Amino acid sequence: MNTANSRPALALARTLDLSVPSNQLAAGGALAGLLLGRLSGQSWAGSLRTGAGAFAAWATARELDPDHTQSAAAALAAELLLGLADSPESDLAALEELLAAFLAVGSLRLLSATVGTASTLPEQLALAGGALAAGTTDHKAAALVPGAALLLSHTRGDDLGPEEPWTGVGALVAGLLPTLLASNERDSLPARLAAMAALVVAPAAVNIEEVSARNDLDTAQIAQERVKSSRLLSTGAVALGLIAGGSRGLRPLSAACAGVGLWMLAGRAGTK
């Protein structure tokens, strides 16, 4: 999403270069979701959830599959349709779902290290704060993604992950603490169908052999093992959301996983 000339100081900083066709599609899809949501009778918050959710699905797929823009396009289209068919229960629910969706985007961005720079302590603490906030909602599975991503990134043994594991541990604790409070999980049939579709194609999605894309700083190729870790974490989060509840907030992640898996299957079918 960044051009090679951009020099982001933050690992979460990815600008949207509208001269790139895939980025134009992402921006157009977000705007289309907002407008179509309003036309279908959704509130402004619900329409924002539809448009931004479609963008979140696209952005998540770009972290999971940096080599192919087609999987991101499929994820955007799927989430756009799901968002129109699956209106949030309330304006507050719409905002909670957006929090869960973008918490997953940021966590996977740090794990895949697609920007090419190490995450700062404020960024890690911001993810921990997001985990705590998500944990107080009905999106318990999404609340665990930041801590798992930080810990997995730490174990990679390169200079792109946290030097110490404590922020990852803290983020996991922050995400788990609110589970002590009783709350009802909100789910829906479209969200569960998206999660099941993602799990069906998961074996193809996680079987990644190489990554040829370079990071945003153009200093090195994006590490295949990091991207694979992101895909495994995403699949685990989708499965947990399906089992424990809270799959609506992870619907963009489910759409992204399904898009990546379908693209991988299509690519293998084309080589036969």
Side-chain angles (χ1 to χ4, degrees):
M1 281 180 278
N2 278 52
T3 61
N5 294 327
S6 300
R7 296 290 172 178
L10 299 175
L12 291 176
R14 303 199 80 180
T15 56
L16 200 66
D17 184 355
L18 292 181
S19 66
V20 179
S22 63
N23 293 359
Q24 295 171 5
L25 176 65
L31 180 59
L34 177 65
L35 296 177
L36 290 173
R38 287 297 292 163
L39 290 173
S40 67
Q42 293 182 356
S43 67
W44 278 110
S47 300
L48 177 64
R49 170 65 180 85
T50 299
F55 178 85
W58 176 87
T60 304
R62 295 300 293 130
E63 303 303 327
L64 296 176
D65 188 11
D67 281 343
H68 307 107
T69 60
Q70 295 91 338
S71 57
L76 184 147
E79 173 57 21
L80 181 58
L81 293 175
L82 290 168
L84 291 172
D86 191 17
S87 298
E89 297 175 356
S90 66
D91 288 352
L92 178 59
L95 297 178
E96 290 175 352
E97 289 170 21
L98 278 180
L99 169 64
F102 281 96
L103 196 58
V105 174
S107 301
L108 296 173
R109 182 165 296 165
L110 293 190
L111 180 54
S112 291
T114 51
V115 173
T117 187
S119 60
T120 64
L121 180 59
E123 287 179 302
Q124 297 167 34
L125 294 177
L127 286 180
L132 178 61
T136 63
T137 70
D138 290 334
H139 306 289
K140 311 299 185 187
L144 301 180
V145 175
L150 288 168
L151 285 174
L152 285 170
S153 184
H154 167 70
T155 62
R156 295 315 311 156
D158 52 29
D159 59 356
L160 295 174
E163 294 184 2
E164 301 293 337
W166 307 121
T167 53
V169 173
L172 275 180
V173 172
L176 285 169
L177 277 178
T179 62
L180 298 176
L181 304 174
S183 65
N184 296 320
E185 303 290 354
R186 288 194 292 265
D187 282 303
S188 66
L189 179 59
R192 286 186 170 273
L193 288 175
M196 287 187 284
L199 295 178
V200 167
V201 297
V206 300
N207 186 22
I208 178 174
E209 298 178 353
E210 62 178 355
V211 174
S212 60
R214 299 180 68 81
N215 62 45
D216 290 355
L217 299 179
D218 199 25
T219 54
Q221 282 184 293
I222 296 170
Q224 176 260 344
E225 286 299 325
R226 280 186 166 273
V227 175
K228 184 172 185 176
S229 294
S230 285
R231 294 189 184 186
L232 288 169
L233 173 58
S234 300
T235 301
V238 169
L240 182 59
L242 188 61
I243 295 170
S247 59
R248 288 181 76 166
L250 290 174
R251 198 177 61 214
L253 178 61
S254 298
C257 290
V260 170
L262 287 172
W263 176 252
M264 297 295 290
L265 285 173
R268 286 169 192 158
T271 58
K272 292 182 179 180

